Amino acid sequence: MTILRMFQTIGLCLAFAGLGQPAPALAAVGGATQAETHRLSGRWEGPLNVGGGSIRFVLRVDTSGAAAVDSPDQGVVGLAVSDLSVEGDTVSFQVPSVGGRFEGVLASDGSTLAGALHQGPAQMPLALTRVEETASAAAPARPQHPVEPYPYRVEEVVFDNPAALGVRLAGTLTLPEGEGPFPAAVLISGSGPQDRDETILGHKPFLVWADALTRRGVAVLRYDDRGMGHSTGDFLAATSADFATDTAAAVAFLQSRHEIDSGRIGLIGHSEGGLIAPMVAVEGGEVAWVVMLAGPAVSGGEILQEQQRRLAAAAGMSPEEVAAGNRIQRAVLEAVAENADDGEAAAIAVTALLVAIGMPEGQSRQSAESVSGPWYRWFVAHDPAATLQSLNVPLLAVYGGKDLQVPADQNAPVLEGLNPAAQVVVFPELNHLLQTAETGQVEEYGEIEETIAAEALTMVVDWVMARSAD
């Protein structure tokens, strides 16, 4: 998505749920002595096979044993590593932010580390090779990224969320030249911890959206998710409902600015952001219009169910394997939904279910923990139908016909039925990021130079301009 947090599902899991984090310091290590972890000091790289393709996995360990993980192809840098342990030739560590766990064997000459990365029930082979710190691949071409100097003003801003103690959001406000007051848009990111540009696989979609809109005379506010970048707060403890209060705070901040016309502020949400935008508008956000980019129109449980089926098929699984995985997925999601208000009860129910189908108890508990957190429980149980029916401002919903994460044929017809006044557009050749795609698979995102298809970019900007006129 960047609903990539949705891949933490039973049956098909990808390695990284959070995309676009800035690099924190290397995390302190627990569970191993400095002498033991010194054997791992340096940079380790290898391909991780996911979804029918592969992404680069990087483990960095300094001489004190502090470690972090990068995924260069996903634009992820500095995921904290914990519990790094070296016992003889056996190495293990955790990547808590994505529910990941690595177990492997260190070669006698210390040059390779072979094992597997576990995430929920998924086990992905991973062979790492020690490399020189200077080894790095050239950054992929991203021709749509704007280059300074910009023909508009750029201001770094911060604002508090009064509904969430300790949440101060940091972002970028782009303002057209002139005095204003200008119409404005707030950009709302997809799931998983995102920076203000919604960075993914070297792409910066929100930078491109902000540039295109501001050049046409619309001020744009984009911000780091709570707990990410320069924003404060606990991301992992929050649900989509909590993130909606962050967006409401962003709208209130714009309303306080003399350069902004408070009656012409709209919301543009991608993926989970497309779920959040209507919530804010209906719950008193005082917004003029809403744009949903690949936004869900059915419950989270339905999204995850269909997403798992399509991604499994796209990864080459047989119809029998897809069906079997989908049955497990359905049972797990039902157990989570039935215990949406009680994380402990959800974990117990899912653990029992997985043990009953033959999964080892320890692995079952770990898988259950990954789907019983507050965000997951809220998302699985939430149905946006009532909100979409109640939305009474202009709504544009854009989908990609090759989107495997929020499928157009699952969501667009439902949205048309719920809100007949909405303008719903499906671009047949576009994927979840609204890129022109061949397959729609996740690993293809980074291979495509285009960040946003010109037809989608132009159509959305023109629609916003038409509803932002004086």
Side-chain angles (χ1 to χ4, degrees):
M1 264 191 181
T2 62
I3 280 191
L4 288 188
R5 172 146 63 170
M6 289 186 182
F7 288 123
Q8 291 180 319
T9 62
I10 304 302
L12 182 67
C13 299
L14 291 188
F16 293 98
L19 301 181
Q21 299 95 319
L26 292 175
V29 173
T33 67
Q34 181 173 332
E36 292 169 323
T37 58
H38 179 75
R39 297 165 58 193
L40 298 178
S41 63
R43 180 185 179 94
W44 301 77
E45 293 189 11
L48 181 69
N49 294 322
V50 291
S54 67
I55 56 176
R56 289 173 294 161
F57 183 102
V58 177
L59 170 68
R60 294 179 286 114
V61 185
D62 71 15
T63 55
S64 72
V69 159
D70 306 333
S71 178
D73 296 328
Q74 292 181 299
V76 176
V77 180
L79 291 180
V81 166
S82 68
D83 300 318
L84 178 62
S85 172
V86 182
E87 298 181 3
D89 60 358
T90 301
V91 175
S92 63
F93 59 83
Q94 308 271 354
V95 189
S97 62
V98 298
R101 172 175 53 88
F102 175 83
E103 294 178 355
V105 176
L106 181 65
S108 58
D109 63 0
S111 63
T112 61
L113 182 56
L117 183 71
H118 305 261
Q119 188 185 44
Q123 178 174 304
M124 295 159 279
L126 178 60
L128 300 173
T129 301
R130 195 191 299 267
V131 298
E132 294 294 327
E133 285 288 347
T134 56
S136 61
R142 299 293 182 245
Q144 287 179 290
H145 287 183
V147 178
E148 297 184 73
Y150 306 130
Y152 48 80
R153 293 169 287 166
V154 179
E155 182 180 341
E156 300 303 299
V157 299
V158 294
F159 54 95
D160 293 318
N161 178 355
L165 183 64
V167 174
R168 168 166 286 189
L169 300 160
T172 300
L173 175 63
T174 51
L175 292 160
E177 292 295 336
E179 295 182 2
F182 305 106
V186 176
L187 302 184
I188 313 167
S189 68
S191 70
Q194 305 286 323
D195 68 8
R196 65 192 68 185
D197 293 327
E198 203 187 42
T199 303
I200 175 173
L201 294 163
H203 290 287
K204 295 181 179 292
F206 278 11
L207 173 63
V208 175
W209 283 113
D211 178 77
L213 286 160
T214 310
R215 287 174 187 267
R216 293 282 299 275
V218 178
V220 179
L221 175 60
R222 62 194 198 273
Y223 54 93
D224 299 328
D225 288 349
R226 61 167 71 185
M228 301 308 302
H230 297 291
S231 294
T232 62
D234 186 350
F235 180 89
L236 295 177
T239 68
S240 303
D242 297 317
F243 297 136
T245 68
D246 293 344
T247 300
V251 172
F253 170 76
L254 287 178
Q255 290 171 334
S256 73
R257 298 282 302 223
H258 70 86
E259 308 98 323
I260 304 300
D261 183 339
S262 62
R264 292 189 291 160
I265 300 172
L267 305 177
I268 301 177
H270 176 231
S271 200
E272 183 189 5
L275 176 75
I276 291 169
M279 293 170 57
V280 175
V282 168
E283 293 170 10
E286 299 181 15
V287 300
W289 47 262
V290 168
V291 175
M292 296 170 60
L293 305 175
V298 299
S299 73
E302 292 175 88
I303 287 282
L304 293 173
Q305 183 78 21
E306 186 62 16
Q307 184 185 85
Q308 185 271 342
R309 187 183 69 80
R310 297 193 187 209
L311 288 168
M317 294 185 183
S318 69
E320 294 76 19
E321 290 173 323
V322 173
N326 215 234
R327 284 193 296 272
I328 298 171
Q329 175 85 333
R330 183 183 303 109
V332 167
L333 293 172
E334 289 175 353
V336 172
E338 289 169 1
N339 297 280
D341 296 327
D342 189 333
E344 183 177 355
I348 292 171
V350 173
T351 298
L353 188 157
L354 297 178
V355 168
I357 64 172
M359 183 181 289
E361 185 170 355
Q363 187 178 352
S364 296
R365 283 198 301 270
Q366 185 178 32
S367 298
E369 288 174 4
S370 72
V371 298
S372 59
W375 180 89
Y376 203 98
R377 286 183 283 111
W378 189 96
F379 182 82
V380 167
H382 180 70
D383 187 339
T387 297
L388 293 170
Q389 287 176 321
S390 301
L391 189 65
N392 60 5
V393 299
L395 169 63
L396 170 65
V398 179
Y399 295 95
K402 293 185 177 179
D403 188 342
L404 301 179
Q405 295 179 249
V406 181
D409 58 358
Q410 179 192 36
N411 291 273
V414 173
L415 179 53
E416 289 174 325
L418 292 171
N419 194 322
Q423 182 176 346
V424 181
V425 180
V426 177
F427 290 100
E429 301 303 314
L430 304 192
N431 62 17
H432 186 65
L433 299 187
L434 302 182
Q435 301 168 300
T436 306
E438 292 292 330
T439 68
Q441 294 190 59
V442 175
E443 68 272 10
E444 187 183 40
Y445 298 171
E447 299 169 1
I448 301 171
E449 289 190 356
E450 173 184 81
T451 297
I452 303 166
E455 57 185 334
L457 190 65
T458 299
M459 194 272 280
V460 170
V461 173
D462 285 349
W463 188 92
V464 169
M465 291 305 300
R467 281 141 193 89
S468 301
D470 291 325

